[in-house]
Amino acid sequence: MTDTTHAISTDKHTDERTDLLEALAHSRRFLRFTARDLTDEQAGQRTTASELCLGGLIKHVTSVERHWTDFIVNGPSAMPDFTAMTEADFAQRAEEFRMLPGETLAGVLADYEETARRTDGLVTTLPDLNAAHPLPEAPWNEPGARWSARRVLLHIAAETAQHAGHADIIRESLDGAKSMG
């Protein structure tokens, strides 16, 4: 097997796509690493003032990645209109931050892996990383803004990295284990 991690290509798009895939993989690896050797009960345990638990955080990152890749393919219709959401909608959305009865850490991680495979496949096959859509209605989105597929993929990597940091704090509060250091 040949290590092509640092191979230099003359194809600008190959290099860019390789960089995107490596950034996604790096952030995902740290997030998954925080859940190592945990039981389902531990993965569902809150350890800070936050509502977050490790299993719920991984569920959230999975949902975010899935919605954003659907946005790349289908545009803003793939995303909820947050300006029209009811309290019941927000309560249902909050369930993605918790391990629900019957959910297992193995199942949550398997769903995350499947979502990652789908995203990675999109990165390698998408005809144009410049293809853009208007952002969906949401209080945190600038009105009229458009994001390219590239920008969405960078957002997914950044969101995953941010939540890997959250997961590290939750894990350290749970049993002292750290991802780094």
Side-chain angles (χ1 to χ4, degrees), residues 38-130:
L38 292 181
T39 65
D40 294 338
E41 182 180 317
Q42 288 172 312
Q45 186 177 340
R46 288 180 48 208
T47 62
T48 66
S50 167
E51 290 290 322
L52 298 174
C53 64
L54 286 172
L57 194 54
I58 294 167
K59 282 175 55 179
H60 169 68
V61 171
T62 302
S63 175
V64 166
E65 185 167 330
R66 188 177 298 125
H67 278 100
W68 278 112
T69 55
D70 287 347
F71 171 82
I72 290 171
V73 174
N74 300 309
S77 65
M79 304 283 272
D81 178 354
F82 286 97
T83 63
M85 287 180 69
T86 66
E87 283 194 40
D89 295 328
F90 279 109
Q92 182 179 1
R93 186 170 184 265
E95 290 183 353
E96 78 181 29
F97 293 96
R98 295 189 293 273
M99 293 275 293
L100 301 176
E103 291 181 328
T104 65
L105 180 57
V108 167
L109 288 169
D111 192 32
Y112 186 43
E113 285 297 317
E114 177 56 35
T115 297
R117 273 192 297 279
R118 179 176 173 252
T119 301
D120 291 351
L122 184 62
V123 170
T124 60
T125 61
L126 195 65
D128 184 5
L129 292 174
N130 290 317

